[in-house]
Amino acid sequence: MKKSIIRFFAFILMLSLPGLAMAQPASENLMRSNGRIYVVIAVLLVILLGIFLYMFRVEKKLKKLEQDSGK
């Protein structure tokens, strides 16, 4: 389980690196000035939290099924 979580975080990090490396002009603060960036971040965090909770629930159920089938 730990390896899969580490791989998932590494995958997300690899996806975000090109976006962090791109330089943008300082004059484009449209989303920050309107406060929309905080809404976007909040929505993304809620979605990621939901995905993580779903992964942990499925993993817990799989472990239980594996233990029950091993008896």
Side-chain angles (χ1 to χ4, degrees):
M1 180 176 148
K2 287 185 179 183
K3 283 187 178 182
S4 64
I5 293 173
I6 291 172
R7 286 183 185 171
F8 180 74
F9 281 123
F11 178 71
I12 296 297
L13 179 66
M14 294 288 184
L15 285 178
S16 65
L17 284 178
L20 295 174
M22 296 176 67
Q24 295 182 2
S27 63
E28 291 190 27
N29 286 327
L30 179 64
M31 294 207 44
R32 279 193 192 155
S33 66
N34 292 338
R36 292 180 186 164
I37 191 71
Y38 300 114
V39 174
V40 172
I41 291 172
V43 169
L44 288 175
L45 287 176
V46 168
I47 291 171
L48 285 175
L49 181 66
I51 290 171
F52 288 135
L53 288 175
Y54 178 74
M55 285 175 35
F56 286 125
R57 286 184 60 206
V58 169
E59 182 70 26
K60 186 188 278 188
K61 289 179 182 181
L62 281 174
K63 279 186 180 181
K64 185 177 178 182
L65 283 173
E66 288 174 353
Q67 288 175 355
D68 290 343
S69 67
K71 289 183 179 179

